[in-house]
Amino acid sequence: MILNGEAEIAIAMQDSVMQAYEGVDAYEGEEPATNLRALMRLWPNYVQLVTLADSGIESVEDLKGKKVGVGAANSGVEINARAIYAAYGMTYEDSDVDYLSYGEAIEQMKNGQCDAAFVTSGIPNATVTELATSYDMVIVPIDGEGRDNLLNTYSYYAATTIPAGTYNNEEDVETVFVYNIMLVNEELDDALVYDMLDAIFENIDTIKASHNTADANIDITFGVSDVAIPLHDGAAAWWQDQGYETPNN
């Protein structure tokens, strides 16, 4: 919708944005969308691979032969799942994959119709919390050589942990995250975009009070150096005026 001029602002995961920007992977064969522009970075989306204890799934490799919810086709979740399969030397043919949203996959997991589901979101995720409260849920680690392959292939993934106690996990669980970023239409007036950032950060306390993940992860001090696509010219001017580098501009 941004590219078609049907939207002026959007929130998207940076891996999806980068694949569109470069015309690769989920956007293979399409013209690179090099006119996508960013306003700011938002919060990290944690890749959470969840299952039930009786599934026998303890690693990504254990997904072989299992029914796995990988997200709606070409959604941010599904792009994560596909990249993780590849990083571990696997393909979807190794599992019985179903293109379900994580909510749908978790509902099927409760009924014994799905063995595992990929969930990509801020933490804690309400749907995962509900599963962990009512069932013996396990968070499968994304770690080891497979994770190293993922990080070496895609610069927009970063290693992290899901802290102990986030759900029913007694220990930290290794995984990866990818940032959400805010996009704006390239055609927006520079002064308008500059004013949008003024409005956001003049009212940042209201935004932080609205959501725990926003409170922890949306702050001017984080800058924009980890936004992988160019900023809108109005946004670049704003960030530069605040003393921050804009390496992709």
Side-chain angles (χ1 to χ4, degrees):
M1 291 178 72
I2 289 277
L3 295 174
N4 292 336
E6 299 170 7
E8 295 174 319
I9 188 165
I11 293 172
M13 286 165 52
Q14 185 151 246
D15 53 349
S16 304
V17 173
M18 282 304 299
Q19 290 182 19
Y21 186 82
E22 296 174 348
V24 298
D25 295 340
Y27 297 87
E28 189 74 42
E30 296 188 21
E31 189 72 22
T34 53
N35 54 339
L36 287 172
R37 292 293 179 266
L39 184 76
M40 59 187 289
R41 56 153 276 190
L42 298 172
W43 59 89
N45 271 348
Y46 289 69
V47 180
Q48 302 158 76
L49 176 55
V50 299
T51 187
L52 298 181
D54 60 5
S55 71
I57 299 172
E58 298 180 351
S59 67
V60 174
E61 290 91 344
D62 289 339
L63 295 177
K64 293 178 180 179
K66 301 293 187 179
K67 185 171 183 179
V68 184
V70 295
N74 281 340
S75 65
V77 177
E78 195 266 319
I79 286 173
N80 295 156
R82 195 185 320 162
I84 288 167
Y85 264 77
Y88 283 82
M90 299 162 56
T91 71
Y92 281 171
E93 293 182 358
D94 291 305
S95 302
D96 179 10
V97 302
D98 207 341
Y99 294 94
L100 302 169
S101 71
Y102 61 72
E104 293 169 332
I106 286 174
E107 282 302 310
Q108 290 202 12
M109 199 183 303
K110 295 175 184 177
N111 300 325
Q113 298 174 304
C114 187
D115 297 308
F118 282 87
V119 178
T120 304
S121 72
I123 55 172
N125 175 282
T127 305
V128 177
T129 297
E130 192 275 331
L131 181 70
T133 301
S134 305
Y135 295 82
D136 189 6
M137 187 193 78
V138 173
I139 308 170
V140 180
I142 297 171
D143 58 5
E145 185 177 349
R147 183 170 73 172
D148 291 343
N149 291 338
L150 183 73
L151 300 181
N152 289 334
T153 303
Y154 300 106
S155 61
Y156 39 77
Y157 284 99
T160 190
T161 60
I162 299 171
T166 300
Y167 300 112
N168 60 346
N169 53 311
E170 297 180 356
E171 298 180 350
D172 293 351
V173 180
E174 297 293 320
T175 189
V176 295
F177 74 76
V178 59
Y179 278 113
N180 275 320
I181 61 174
M182 189 171 286
L183 300 175
V184 290
N185 193 301
E186 183 185 35
E187 301 301 320
L188 285 183
D189 180 76
D190 290 359
L192 173 62
V193 172
Y194 194 102
D195 288 347
M196 287 168 63
L197 281 163
D198 270 343
I200 289 169
F201 285 101
E202 286 171 3
N203 295 280
I204 196 66
D205 289 344
T206 301
I207 295 171
K208 285 176 170 291
S210 71
H211 196 277
N212 288 335
T213 299
D215 184 30
N217 295 285
I218 300 179
D219 194 88
I220 191 173
T221 60
F222 295 131
V224 285
S225 61
D226 45 18
V227 175
I229 66 168
L231 299 171
H232 187 284
D233 287 345
W238 191 91
W239 285 102
Q240 291 162 8
D241 286 349
Q242 312 312 309
Y244 292 93
E245 295 184 357
T246 57
N248 288 309
N249 288 70

